[in-house]
Amino acid sequence: MSARRVVLAYSGGLDTSVAIPWLAERGWDVIAVAVDVGQPGDLHEAVGRALQLGASDSRLVDARADFVDRFVLPALQMNALYQGRYPLVSALSRPLISQVLVQVARETGASAVAHGCTGKGNDQVRFEVALGALAPDLEVLAPVRDWGMGRDDTIAYALERDLPIRTTKSSPYSIDENVWGRSIECGVLEDPWAAPPEDVYEITQDPRSASLAGREIELHFEAGVPTALEGESLEALHLIEAVGKIAGSFGFGRIDLVEDRLVGIKSREVYEAPGALSLIAAHQDLENLTLERAYLLEKRKLETTWTRIVYEGLWFSPLREAIDAFVSSSSDAVTGDVRLRLGPGSCSPVGRRSPHALYDHALATYDEGDSFRHEDAAGFVKLWGLPTKQWAKSRV
Ligand code: ARG
């Protein structure tokens, strides 16, 4: 009888490494899939190790371009910042990894897929809701949630079986990283009163050692998509990396947040997202220049909804698609240039221009050349204030 086959989302880290023999011992034929969404480290080496751990097949899928096009850029269109601060880094990759798992399951005739999330986080929700939407027939296994082992037990399990896991440089933190940023949890960060130690940060410099002189960078956007940095055309993936490097060198993009998880827990989360925060700042600023007032107001409200539902694992939902449709009706206006000024730990737009700018100097100026009809204002103000005046009169 052939073993039941499962496709495992495999990162090469301790938990998903141990998950391979754990599933194999329970009669599963394991196919390990590592999805490259821009995390650092040697994924080729990790994929090779999966075979030694007992997987019957292991694959590396480079999904970076797809991740940027279908998840990161839409998040930028929505200026997506959960609780006003967190650019959804991990929340964006889960629906894509789910799609890859389903694709490999279909190719290999697997009857199940597996993820390595614990029972306390948002990621289990994101995987399972996405998988339910994409392939309701597949069984979903969550070995790390089910096995009831703590980190020490997991290490002991690996040592007992002499598993080839990388115990060198074991970080005290739980880290998830992709093109859009880096999430850091656990260890000393679990004390929300303790400042994050410098060693949690990898992609941002200490802002205290950044150049006081600062620097400016110029970004070009076409229909809401960043397409050039300092006048040089770049693919979005490379542009995000390049902006992240520059902003990170100023110590910009660090986030220390007490966050509301979907499962009801408040947790202390630290993030580094220098590229994401710089690009969102620039994009938002260009929207203020190019989008009509009432539309912009409504978009800002929908951004909050979009961000919340994506955080909460509802990527594959009619509401998310409907909000994307609302936004696509106007995004072509968001074309132009933004100048960002970087300093130690800071990044601010200091200049913007667009062929679609709604800013009209003749209307705005207090100087010579004013074309605003001041006499129109008097009647407008009277009518605008009329309901308030009537209400006030009725109260006397
Ligand atoms: N709290 C963040 C989120 O829910 C980060 C999750 C990071 N995941 C991890 N395995 N460290 O999106």
Side-chain angles (χ1 to χ4, degrees):
M1 197 194 84
S2 69
R4 295 168 303 162
R5 185 166 285 160
V6 60
V7 178
L8 168 72
Y10 167 74
S11 69
L14 177 67
D15 282 342
T16 57
S17 294
V18 167
I20 295 175
W22 193 89
L23 288 165
E25 284 169 16
R26 280 155 187 77
W28 289 96
D29 172 48
V30 183
I31 299 179
V33 178
V35 182
D36 185 353
V37 282
Q39 64 275 48
D42 188 346
L43 286 177
H44 286 283
E45 188 264 341
V47 163
R49 212 153 19 84
L51 297 173
Q52 299 165 36
L53 286 159
S56 67
D57 182 8
S58 72
R59 304 177 180 199
L60 172 58
V61 177
D62 181 354
R64 288 172 302 165
D66 208 16
F67 181 52
V68 169
D69 287 351
R70 295 197 298 120
F71 296 87
V72 169
L73 292 176
L76 175 60
Q77 300 303 304
M78 297 311 298
N79 304 306
L81 294 171
Y82 180 68
Q83 296 190 314
R85 314 264 311 278
Y86 164 47
L88 294 184
V89 177
S90 306
L92 295 172
S93 71
R94 278 26 182 178
L96 173 61
I97 296 170
S98 302
Q99 282 184 318
V100 174
L101 293 181
V102 169
Q103 208 175 325
V104 176
R106 296 306 185 215
E107 279 165 32
T108 58
S111 63
V113 289
H115 63 73
C117 306
T118 69
K120 293 182 80 167
N122 297 311
D123 289 330
Q124 56 175 344
V125 183
R126 296 168 184 151
F127 276 122
E128 290 177 33
V129 173
L131 291 165
L134 296 168
D137 57 307
L138 292 177
E139 189 182 347
V140 182
L141 308 177
V144 177
R145 190 173 63 197
D146 294 340
W147 67 32
M149 295 193 280
R151 196 174 166 86
D152 290 344
D153 307 318
T154 317
I155 292 172
Y157 179 102
L159 291 176
E160 269 162 36
R161 287 163 182 75
D162 204 15
L163 299 179
I165 53 160
R166 277 174 307 183
T167 40
T168 48
K169 204 197 159 221
S170 71
S171 162
Y173 309 111
S174 163
I175 290 159
D176 185 52
E177 183 168 348
N178 62 47
V179 176
W180 208 223
R182 185 167 178 270
S183 309
I184 312 121
E185 300 171 325
C186 303
V188 289
L189 300 176
E190 288 177 359
D191 175 1
W193 178 247
E198 203 49 39
D199 74 351
V200 306
Y201 299 112
E202 283 279 331
I203 60 170
T204 53
Q205 304 296 313
D206 186 340
R208 290 169 297 191
S209 59
S211 143
L212 276 174
R215 103 168 238 201
E216 280 184 14
I217 57 173
E218 189 179 310
L219 288 163
H220 180 71
F221 288 82
E222 283 289 329
V225 174
T227 56
L229 168 64
E230 301 289 55
E232 188 195 343
S233 295
L234 285 174
E235 298 233 332
L237 171 65
H238 299 121
L239 185 140
I240 293 165
E241 285 170 350
V243 172
K245 265 206 186 98
I246 299 171
S249 75
F250 284 93
F252 175 71
R254 295 181 170 188
I255 301 154
D256 176 354
L257 176 65
V258 177
E259 177 175 310
D260 279 302
R261 288 191 187 167
L262 181 55
V263 293
I265 298 171
K266 278 197 190 285
S267 71
R268 196 288 186 84
E269 310 272 333
V270 173
Y271 302 101
E272 297 178 274
L277 293 194
S278 309
L279 286 164
I280 290 173
H283 177 260
Q284 214 165 28
D285 192 84
L286 192 56
E287 285 186 325
N288 290 345
L289 182 70
T290 54
L291 295 180
E292 184 275 332
R293 181 174 74 173
Y295 175 86
L296 185 60
L297 199 61
E298 208 52 40
K299 179 171 185 290
R300 294 284 180 256
K301 289 191 228 163
L302 290 170
E303 287 171 357
T304 317
T305 305
W306 191 98
T307 304
R308 184 177 49 76
I309 63 172
V310 170
Y311 181 89
E312 293 176 348
L314 303 179
W315 179 271
F316 297 105
S317 67
L319 181 55
R320 200 268 305 158
E321 283 179 20
I323 297 175
D324 282 346
F326 173 94
V327 169
S328 68
S329 70
S330 69
S331 56
D332 59 327
V334 189
T335 292
D337 305 303
V338 179
R339 267 187 13 248
L340 291 177
R341 163 141 283 275
L342 290 153
S346 73
C347 169
S348 320
V350 290
R352 67 290 288 163
R353 64 182 172 194
S354 166
H356 305 296
L358 300 176
Y359 180 93
D360 182 339
H361 185 268
L363 283 177
T365 187
Y366 286 94
D367 299 335
E368 220 49 13
D370 182 3
S371 72
F372 183 80
R373 285 166 48 94
H374 293 247
E375 62 276 28
D376 289 351
F380 165 74
V381 175
K382 268 196 196 112
L383 296 186
W384 176 247
L386 186 57
T388 317
K389 193 185 242 172
Q390 292 298 98
W391 182 80
K393 268 205 240 164
S394 77
R395 311 284 295 175
V396 287

mmCIF file with all atom_site columns, all heavy atoms in Angstrom, residues 243-267:
data_model
loop_
_atom_site.group_PDB
_atom_site.id
_atom_site.type_symbol
_atom_site.label_atom_id
_atom_site.label_alt_id
_atom_site.label_comp_id
_atom_site.label_asym_id
_atom_site.label_entity_id
_atom_site.label_seq_id
_atom_site.pdbx_PDB_ins_code
_atom_site.Cartn_x
_atom_site.Cartn_y
_atom_site.Cartn_z
_atom_site.occupancy
_atom_site.B_iso_or_equiv
_atom_site.pdbx_formal_charge
_atom_site.auth_seq_id
_atom_site.auth_comp_id
_atom_site.auth_asym_id
_atom_site.auth_atom_id
_atom_site.pdbx_PDB_model_num
ATOM 1   N N   . VAL A 1 243 ? 15.710 50.474 -2.082 1.00 0.00 ? 243 VAL A N   1
ATOM 2   C CA  . VAL A 1 243 ? 15.200 51.506 -1.172 1.00 0.00 ? 243 VAL A CA  1
ATOM 3   C C   . VAL A 1 243 ? 15.375 51.024 0.276  1.00 0.00 ? 243 VAL A C   1
ATOM 4   O O   . VAL A 1 243 ? 15.762 51.791 1.166  1.00 0.00 ? 243 VAL A O   1
ATOM 5   C CB  . VAL A 1 243 ? 13.713 51.824 -1.470 1.00 0.00 ? 243 VAL A CB  1
ATOM 6   C CG1 . VAL A 1 243 ? 13.125 52.745 -0.410 1.00 0.00 ? 243 VAL A CG1 1
ATOM 7   C CG2 . VAL A 1 243 ? 13.572 52.446 -2.854 1.00 0.00 ? 243 VAL A CG2 1
ATOM 8   N N   . GLY A 1 244 ? 15.130 49.731 0.493  1.00 0.00 ? 244 GLY A N   1
ATOM 9   C CA  . GLY A 1 244 ? 15.283 49.167 1.839  1.00 0.00 ? 244 GLY A CA  1
ATOM 10  C C   . GLY A 1 244 ? 16.710 49.306 2.344  1.00 0.00 ? 244 GLY A C   1
ATOM 11  O O   . GLY A 1 244 ? 16.940 49.630 3.513  1.00 0.00 ? 244 GLY A O   1
ATOM 12  N N   . LYS A 1 245 ? 17.663 49.079 1.462  1.00 0.00 ? 245 LYS A N   1
ATOM 13  C CA  . LYS A 1 245 ? 19.086 49.186 1.861  1.00 0.00 ? 245 LYS A CA  1
ATOM 14  C C   . LYS A 1 245 ? 19.423 50.612 2.266  1.00 0.00 ? 245 LYS A C   1
ATOM 15  O O   . LYS A 1 245 ? 20.055 50.846 3.294  1.00 0.00 ? 245 LYS A O   1
ATOM 16  C CB  . LYS A 1 245 ? 19.988 48.780 0.685  1.00 0.00 ? 245 LYS A CB  1
ATOM 17  C CG  . LYS A 1 245 ? 20.367 47.350 0.773  1.00 0.00 ? 245 LYS A CG  1
ATOM 18  C CD  . LYS A 1 245 ? 21.696 47.054 0.076  1.00 0.00 ? 245 LYS A CD  1
ATOM 19  C CE  . LYS A 1 245 ? 21.886 45.548 0.122  1.00 0.00 ? 245 LYS A CE  1
ATOM 20  N NZ  . LYS A 1 245 ? 21.473 44.872 -1.112 1.00 0.00 ? 245 LYS A NZ  1
ATOM 21  N N   . ILE A 1 246 ? 18.972 51.566 1.459  1.00 0.00 ? 246 ILE A N   1
ATOM 22  C CA  . ILE A 1 246 ? 19.312 52.967 1.749  1.00 0.00 ? 246 ILE A CA  1
ATOM 23  C C   . ILE A 1 246 ? 18.626 53.405 3.045  1.00 0.00 ? 246 ILE A C   1
ATOM 24  O O   . ILE A 1 246 ? 19.272 53.923 3.965  1.00 0.00 ? 246 ILE A O   1
ATOM 25  C CB  . ILE A 1 246 ? 18.891 53.900 0.584  1.00 0.00 ? 246 ILE A CB  1
ATOM 26  C CG1 . ILE A 1 246 ? 19.613 53.507 -0.701 1.00 0.00 ? 246 ILE A CG1 1
ATOM 27  C CG2 . ILE A 1 246 ? 19.176 55.358 0.937  1.00 0.00 ? 246 ILE A CG2 1
ATOM 28  C CD1 . ILE A 1 246 ? 19.104 54.219 -1.955 1.00 0.00 ? 246 ILE A CD1 1
ATOM 29  N N   . ALA A 1 247 ? 17.316 53.168 3.136  1.00 0.00 ? 247 ALA A N   1
ATOM 30  C CA  . ALA A 1 247 ? 16.579 53.622 4.331  1.00 0.00 ? 247 ALA A CA  1
ATOM 31  C C   . ALA A 1 247 ? 17.079 52.883 5.564  1.00 0.00 ? 247 ALA A C   1
ATOM 32  O O   . ALA A 1 247 ? 17.213 53.473 6.653  1.00 0.00 ? 247 ALA A O   1
ATOM 33  C CB  . ALA A 1 247 ? 15.084 53.405 4.127  1.00 0.00 ? 247 ALA A CB  1
ATOM 34  N N   . GLY A 1 248 ? 17.396 51.590 5.408  1.00 0.00 ? 248 GLY A N   1
ATOM 35  C CA  . GLY A 1 248 ? 17.902 50.795 6.532  1.00 0.00 ? 248 GLY A CA  1
ATOM 36  C C   . GLY A 1 248 ? 19.232 51.321 7.034  1.00 0.00 ? 248 GLY A C   1
ATOM 37  O O   . GLY A 1 248 ? 19.533 51.256 8.228  1.00 0.00 ? 248 GLY A O   1
ATOM 38  N N   . SER A 1 249 ? 20.033 51.886 6.138  1.00 0.00 ? 249 SER A N   1
ATOM 39  C CA  . SER A 1 249 ? 21.340 52.403 6.557  1.00 0.00 ? 249 SER A CA  1
ATOM 40  C C   . SER A 1 249 ? 21.186 53.653 7.435  1.00 0.00 ? 249 SER A C   1
ATOM 41  O O   . SER A 1 249 ? 22.118 54.063 8.114  1.00 0.00 ? 249 SER A O   1
ATOM 42  C CB  . SER A 1 249 ? 22.225 52.699 5.342  1.00 0.00 ? 249 SER A CB  1
ATOM 43  O OG  . SER A 1 249 ? 21.789 53.884 4.700  1.00 0.00 ? 249 SER A OG  1
ATOM 44  N N   . PHE A 1 250 ? 19.989 54.257 7.407  1.00 0.00 ? 250 PHE A N   1
ATOM 45  C CA  . PHE A 1 250 ? 19.711 55.394 8.300  1.00 0.00 ? 250 PHE A CA  1
ATOM 46  C C   . PHE A 1 250 ? 18.966 54.954 9.565  1.00 0.00 ? 250 PHE A C   1
ATOM 47  O O   . PHE A 1 250 ? 18.532 55.777 10.365 1.00 0.00 ? 250 PHE A O   1
ATOM 48  C CB  . PHE A 1 250 ? 18.899 56.474 7.564  1.00 0.00 ? 250 PHE A CB  1
ATOM 49  C CG  . PHE A 1 250 ? 19.741 57.263 6.616  1.00 0.00 ? 250 PHE A CG  1
ATOM 50  C CD1 . PHE A 1 250 ? 19.852 56.895 5.291  1.00 0.00 ? 250 PHE A CD1 1
ATOM 51  C CD2 . PHE A 1 250 ? 20.468 58.362 7.064  1.00 0.00 ? 250 PHE A CD2 1
ATOM 52  C CE1 . PHE A 1 250 ? 20.656 57.601 4.416  1.00 0.00 ? 250 PHE A CE1 1
ATOM 53  C CE2 . PHE A 1 250 ? 21.277 59.077 6.198  1.00 0.00 ? 250 PHE A CE2 1
ATOM 54  C CZ  . PHE A 1 250 ? 21.372 58.693 4.864  1.00 0.00 ? 250 PHE A CZ  1
ATOM 55  N N   . GLY A 1 251 ? 18.783 53.640 9.713  1.00 0.00 ? 251 GLY A N   1
ATOM 56  C CA  . GLY A 1 251 ? 18.073 53.153 10.905 1.00 0.00 ? 251 GLY A CA  1
ATOM 57  C C   . GLY A 1 251 ? 16.594 53.453 10.831 1.00 0.00 ? 251 GLY A C   1
ATOM 58  O O   . GLY A 1 251 ? 15.893 53.431 11.847 1.00 0.00 ? 251 GLY A O   1
ATOM 59  N N   . PHE A 1 252 ? 16.100 53.703 9.614  1.00 0.00 ? 252 PHE A N   1
ATOM 60  C CA  . PHE A 1 252 ? 14.669 53.938 9.464  1.00 0.00 ? 252 PHE A CA  1
ATOM 61  C C   . PHE A 1 252 ? 13.974 52.603 9.202  1.00 0.00 ? 252 PHE A C   1
ATOM 62  O O   . PHE A 1 252 ? 14.533 51.723 8.553  1.00 0.00 ? 252 PHE A O   1
ATOM 63  C CB  . PHE A 1 252 ? 14.394 54.896 8.294  1.00 0.00 ? 252 PHE A CB  1
ATOM 64  C CG  . PHE A 1 252 ? 12.923 55.081 8.029  1.00 0.00 ? 252 PHE A CG  1
ATOM 65  C CD1 . PHE A 1 252 ? 12.129 55.792 8.923  1.00 0.00 ? 252 PHE A CD1 1
ATOM 66  C CD2 . PHE A 1 252 ? 12.320 54.499 6.915  1.00 0.00 ? 252 PHE A CD2 1
ATOM 67  C CE1 . PHE A 1 252 ? 10.766 55.937 8.695  1.00 0.00 ? 252 PHE A CE1 1
ATOM 68  C CE2 . PHE A 1 252 ? 10.961 54.637 6.687  1.00 0.00 ? 252 PHE A CE2 1
ATOM 69  C CZ  . PHE A 1 252 ? 10.177 55.357 7.577  1.00 0.00 ? 252 PHE A CZ  1
ATOM 70  N N   . GLY A 1 253 ? 12.744 52.456 9.740  1.00 0.00 ? 253 GLY A N   1
ATOM 71  C CA  . GLY A 1 253 ? 11.958 51.267 9.425  1.00 0.00 ? 253 GLY A CA  1
ATOM 72  C C   . GLY A 1 253 ? 11.840 50.293 10.581 1.00 0.00 ? 253 GLY A C   1
ATOM 73  O O   . GLY A 1 253 ? 11.361 49.180 10.401 1.00 0.00 ? 253 GLY A O   1
ATOM 74  N N   . ARG A 1 254 ? 12.258 50.690 11.784 1.00 0.00 ? 254 ARG A N   1
ATOM 75  C CA  . ARG A 1 254 ? 12.103 49.835 12.958 1.00 0.00 ? 254 ARG A CA  1
ATOM 76  C C   . ARG A 1 254 ? 10.729 50.080 13.583 1.00 0.00 ? 254 ARG A C   1
ATOM 77  O O   . ARG A 1 254 ? 10.314 51.237 13.725 1.00 0.00 ? 254 ARG A O   1
ATOM 78  C CB  . ARG A 1 254 ? 13.194 50.132 13.987 1.00 0.00 ? 254 ARG A CB  1
ATOM 79  C CG  . ARG A 1 254 ? 14.575 49.789 13.476 1.00 0.00 ? 254 ARG A CG  1
ATOM 80  C CD  . ARG A 1 254 ? 15.650 50.069 14.509 1.00 0.00 ? 254 ARG A CD  1
ATOM 81  N NE  . ARG A 1 254 ? 16.928 49.517 14.076 1.00 0.00 ? 254 ARG A NE  1
ATOM 82  C CZ  . ARG A 1 254 ? 18.018 49.468 14.824 1.00 0.00 ? 254 ARG A CZ  1
ATOM 83  N NH1 . ARG A 1 254 ? 17.988 49.969 16.065 1.00 0.00 ? 254 ARG A NH1 1
ATOM 84  N NH2 . ARG A 1 254 ? 19.128 48.936 14.349 1.00 0.00 ? 254 ARG A NH2 1
ATOM 85  N N   . ILE A 1 255 ? 10.064 48.985 13.943 1.00 0.00 ? 255 ILE A N   1
ATOM 86  C CA  . ILE A 1 255 ? 8.716  49.099 14.501 1.00 0.00 ? 255 ILE A CA  1
ATOM 87  C C   . ILE A 1 255 ? 8.666  48.259 15.769 1.00 0.00 ? 255 ILE A C   1
ATOM 88  O O   . ILE A 1 255 ? 9.069  47.103 15.763 1.00 0.00 ? 255 ILE A O   1
ATOM 89  C CB  . ILE A 1 255 ? 7.664  48.572 13.492 1.00 0.00 ? 255 ILE A CB  1
ATOM 90  C CG1 . ILE A 1 255 ? 7.735  49.357 12.173 1.00 0.00 ? 255 ILE A CG1 1
ATOM 91  C CG2 . ILE A 1 255 ? 6.256  48.630 14.086 1.00 0.00 ? 255 ILE A CG2 1
ATOM 92  C CD1 . ILE A 1 255 ? 7.248  48.583 10.967 1.00 0.00 ? 255 ILE A CD1 1
ATOM 93  N N   . ASP A 1 256 ? 8.186  48.843 16.856 1.00 0.00 ? 256 ASP A N   1
ATOM 94  C CA  . ASP A 1 256 ? 8.050  48.136 18.137 1.00 0.00 ? 256 ASP A CA  1
ATOM 95  C C   . ASP A 1 256 ? 6.589  48.291 18.528 1.00 0.00 ? 256 ASP A C   1
ATOM 96  O O   . ASP A 1 256 ? 6.142  49.376 18.881 1.00 0.00 ? 256 ASP A O   1
ATOM 97  C CB  . ASP A 1 256 ? 8.988  48.796 19.156 1.00 0.00 ? 256 ASP A CB  1
ATOM 98  C CG  . ASP A 1 256 ? 8.863  48.213 20.550 1.00 0.00 ? 256 ASP A CG  1
ATOM 99  O OD1 . ASP A 1 256 ? 7.969  47.365 20.788 1.00 0.00 ? 256 ASP A OD1 1
ATOM 100 O OD2 . ASP A 1 256 ? 9.654  48.624 21.422 1.00 0.00 ? 256 ASP A OD2 1
ATOM 101 N N   . LEU A 1 257 ? 5.828  47.194 18.432 1.00 0.00 ? 257 LEU A N   1
ATOM 102 C CA  . LEU A 1 257 ? 4.370  47.303 18.479 1.00 0.00 ? 257 LEU A CA  1
ATOM 103 C C   . LEU A 1 257 ? 3.741  46.274 19.413 1.00 0.00 ? 257 LEU A C   1
ATOM 104 O O   . LEU A 1 257 ? 4.076  45.096 19.348 1.00 0.00 ? 257 LEU A O   1
ATOM 105 C CB  . LEU A 1 257 ? 3.846  47.078 17.050 1.00 0.00 ? 257 LEU A CB  1
ATOM 106 C CG  . LEU A 1 257 ? 2.351  47.047 16.785 1.00 0.00 ? 257 LEU A CG  1
ATOM 107 C CD1 . LEU A 1 257 ? 1.714  48.396 17.069 1.00 0.00 ? 257 LEU A CD1 1
ATOM 108 C CD2 . LEU A 1 257 ? 2.084  46.650 15.325 1.00 0.00 ? 257 LEU A CD2 1
ATOM 109 N N   . VAL A 1 258 ? 2.842  46.725 20.273 1.00 0.00 ? 258 VAL A N   1
ATOM 110 C CA  . VAL A 1 258 ? 1.998  45.789 21.016 1.00 0.00 ? 258 VAL A CA  1
ATOM 111 C C   . VAL A 1 258 ? 0.784  45.550 20.127 1.00 0.00 ? 258 VAL A C   1
ATOM 112 O O   . VAL A 1 258 ? -0.002 46.452 19.870 1.00 0.00 ? 258 VAL A O   1
ATOM 113 C CB  . VAL A 1 258 ? 1.588  46.341 22.393 1.00 0.00 ? 258 VAL A CB  1
ATOM 114 C CG1 . VAL A 1 258 ? 0.655  45.356 23.096 1.00 0.00 ? 258 VAL A CG1 1
ATOM 115 C CG2 . VAL A 1 258 ? 2.824  46.583 23.254 1.00 0.00 ? 258 VAL A CG2 1
ATOM 116 N N   . GLU A 1 259 ? 0.702  44.332 19.618 1.00 0.00 ? 259 GLU A N   1
ATOM 117 C CA  . GLU A 1 259 ? -0.208 44.034 18.509 1.00 0.00 ? 259 GLU A CA  1
ATOM 118 C C   . GLU A 1 259 ? -1.353 43.135 18.947 1.00 0.00 ? 259 GLU A C   1
ATOM 119 O O   . GLU A 1 259 ? -1.180 42.252 19.779 1.00 0.00 ? 259 GLU A O   1
ATOM 120 C CB  . GLU A 1 259 ? 0.655  43.330 17.451 1.00 0.00 ? 259 GLU A CB  1
ATOM 121 C CG  . GLU A 1 259 ? -0.040 42.844 16.224 1.00 0.00 ? 259 GLU A CG  1
ATOM 122 C CD  . GLU A 1 259 ? 0.985  42.290 15.223 1.00 0.00 ? 259 GLU A CD  1
ATOM 123 O OE1 . GLU A 1 259 ? 1.986  42.982 14.929 1.00 0.00 ? 259 GLU A OE1 1
ATOM 124 O OE2 . GLU A 1 259 ? 0.802  41.162 14.756 1.00 0.00 ? 259 GLU A OE2 1
ATOM 125 N N   . ASP A 1 260 ? -2.511 43.348 18.359 1.00 0.00 ? 260 ASP A N   1
ATOM 126 C CA  . ASP A 1 260 ? -3.667 42.479 18.604 1.00 0.00 ? 260 ASP A CA  1
ATOM 127 C C   . ASP A 1 260 ? -3.707 41.366 17.587 1.00 0.00 ? 260 ASP A C   1
ATOM 128 O O   . ASP A 1 260 ? -3.997 41.597 16.419 1.00 0.00 ? 260 ASP A O   1
ATOM 129 C CB  . ASP A 1 260 ? -4.970 43.293 18.521 1.00 0.00 ? 260 ASP A CB  1
ATOM 130 C CG  . ASP A 1 260 ? -5.230 44.042 19.811 1.00 0.00 ? 260 ASP A CG  1
ATOM 131 O OD1 . ASP A 1 260 ? -5.320 43.374 20.861 1.00 0.00 ? 260 ASP A OD1 1
ATOM 132 O OD2 . ASP A 1 260 ? -5.311 45.278 19.779 1.00 0.00 ? 260 ASP A OD2 1
ATOM 133 N N   . ARG A 1 261 ? -3.431 40.154 18.054 1.00 0.00 ? 261 ARG A N   1
ATOM 134 C CA  . ARG A 1 261 ? -3.529 39.003 17.158 1.00 0.00 ? 261 ARG A CA  1
ATOM 135 C C   . ARG A 1 261 ? -4.978 38.584 17.019 1.00 0.00 ? 261 ARG A C   1
ATOM 136 O O   . ARG A 1 261 ? -5.789 38.793 17.921 1.00 0.00 ? 261 ARG A O   1
ATOM 137 C CB  . ARG A 1 261 ? -2.747 37.821 17.730 1.00 0.00 ? 261 ARG A CB  1
ATOM 138 C CG  . ARG A 1 261 ? -1.274 38.002 17.645 1.00 0.00 ? 261 ARG A CG  1
ATOM 139 C CD  . ARG A 1 261 ? -0.595 36.693 17.975 1.00 0.00 ? 261 ARG A CD  1
ATOM 140 N NE  . ARG A 1 261 ? 0.845  36.905 18.059 1.00 0.00 ? 261 ARG A NE  1
ATOM 141 C CZ  . ARG A 1 261 ? 1.682  36.013 18.572 1.00 0.00 ? 261 ARG A CZ  1
ATOM 142 N NH1 . ARG A 1 261 ? 1.222  34.872 19.045 1.00 0.00 ? 261 ARG A NH1 1
ATOM 143 N NH2 . ARG A 1 261 ? 2.974  36.275 18.602 1.00 0.00 ? 261 ARG A NH2 1
ATOM 144 N N   . LEU A 1 262 ? -5.250 37.906 15.914 1.00 0.00 ? 262 LEU A N   1
ATOM 145 C CA  . LEU A 1 262 ? -6.606 37.442 15.648 1.00 0.00 ? 262 LEU A CA  1
ATOM 146 C C   . LEU A 1 262 ? -7.092 36.458 16.710 1.00 0.00 ? 262 LEU A C   1
ATOM 147 O O   . LEU A 1 262 ? -8.278 36.411 17.036 1.00 0.00 ? 262 LEU A O   1
ATOM 148 C CB  . LEU A 1 262 ? -6.638 36.794 14.256 1.00 0.00 ? 262 LEU A CB  1
ATOM 149 C CG  . LEU A 1 262 ? -7.955 36.254 13.760 1.00 0.00 ? 262 LEU A CG  1
ATOM 150 C CD1 . LEU A 1 262 ? -9.040 37.318 13.798 1.00 0.00 ? 262 LEU A CD1 1
ATOM 151 C CD2 . LEU A 1 262 ? -7.801 35.741 12.347 1.00 0.00 ? 262 LEU A CD2 1
ATOM 152 N N   . VAL A 1 263 ? -6.164 35.662 17.267 1.00 0.00 ? 263 VAL A N   1
ATOM 153 C CA  . VAL A 1 263 ? -6.566 34.651 18.251 1.00 0.00 ? 263 VAL A CA  1
ATOM 154 C C   . VAL A 1 263 ? -6.823 35.256 19.635 1.00 0.00 ? 263 VAL A C   1
ATOM 155 O O   . VAL A 1 263 ? -7.035 34.523 20.601 1.00 0.00 ? 263 VAL A O   1
ATOM 156 C CB  . VAL A 1 263 ? -5.513 33.521 18.369 1.00 0.00 ? 263 VAL A CB  1
ATOM 157 C CG1 . VAL A 1 263 ? -5.452 32.711 17.086 1.00 0.00 ? 263 VAL A CG1 1
ATOM 158 C CG2 . VAL A 1 263 ? -4.138 34.074 18.729 1.00 0.00 ? 263 VAL A CG2 1
ATOM 159 N N   . GLY A 1 264 ? -6.819 36.590 19.748 1.00 0.00 ? 264 GLY A N   1
ATOM 160 C CA  . GLY A 1 264 ? -7.216 37.233 20.996 1.00 0.00 ? 264 GLY A CA  1
ATOM 161 C C   . GLY A 1 264 ? -6.072 37.632 21.907 1.00 0.00 ? 264 GLY A C   1
ATOM 162 O O   . GLY A 1 264 ? -6.295 38.239 22.953 1.00 0.00 ? 264 GLY A O   1
ATOM 163 N N   . ILE A 1 265 ? -4.853 37.289 21.512 1.00 0.00 ? 265 ILE A N   1
ATOM 164 C CA  . ILE A 1 265 ? -3.688 37.588 22.352 1.00 0.00 ? 265 ILE A CA  1
ATOM 165 C C   . ILE A 1 265 ? -3.134 38.956 21.974 1.00 0.00 ? 265 ILE A C   1
ATOM 166 O O   . ILE A 1 265 ? -3.097 39.312 20.789 1.00 0.00 ? 265 ILE A O   1
ATOM 167 C CB  . ILE A 1 265 ? -2.585 36.525 22.109 1.00 0.00 ? 265 ILE A CB  1
ATOM 168 C CG1 . ILE A 1 265 ? -3.088 35.137 22.492 1.00 0.00 ? 265 ILE A CG1 1
ATOM 169 C CG2 . ILE A 1 265 ? -1.298 36.880 22.833 1.00 0.00 ? 265 ILE A CG2 1
ATOM 170 C CD1 . ILE A 1 265 ? -2.135 34.009 22.077 1.00 0.00 ? 265 ILE A CD1 1
ATOM 171 N N   . LYS A 1 266 ? -2.691 39.719 22.978 1.00 0.00 ? 266 LYS A N   1
ATOM 172 C CA  . LYS A 1 266 ? -1.873 40.894 22.676 1.00 0.00 ? 266 LYS A CA  1
ATOM 173 C C   . LYS A 1 266 ? -0.426 40.430 22.718 1.00 0.00 ? 266 LYS A C   1
ATOM 174 O O   . LYS A 1 266 ? -0.022 39.755 23.671 1.00 0.00 ? 266 LYS A O   1
ATOM 175 C CB  . LYS A 1 266 ? -2.085 41.991 23.722 1.00 0.00 ? 266 LYS A CB  1
ATOM 176 C CG  . LYS A 1 266 ? -3.323 42.835 23.458 1.00 0.00 ? 266 LYS A CG  1
ATOM 177 C CD  . LYS A 1 266 ? -3.275 44.131 24.246 1.00 0.00 ? 266 LYS A CD  1
ATOM 178 C CE  . LYS A 1 266 ? -4.616 44.856 24.181 1.00 0.00 ? 266 LYS A CE  1
ATOM 179 N NZ  . LYS A 1 266 ? -4.866 45.526 22.874 1.00 0.00 ? 266 LYS A NZ  1
ATOM 180 N N   . SER A 1 267 ? 0.345  40.755 21.712 1.00 0.00 ? 267 SER A N   1
ATOM 181 C CA  . SER A 1 267 ? 1.732  40.314 21.730 1.00 0.00 ? 267 SER A CA  1
ATOM 182 C C   . SER A 1 267 ? 2.635  41.473 21.361 1.00 0.00 ? 267 SER A C   1
ATOM 183 O O   . SER A 1 267 ? 2.210  42.417 20.692 1.00 0.00 ? 267 SER A O   1
ATOM 184 C CB  . SER A 1 267 ? 1.946  39.151 20.767 1.00 0.00 ? 267 SER A CB  1
ATOM 185 O OG  . SER A 1 267 ? 1.866  39.610 19.452 1.00 0.00 ? 267 SER A OG  1
#
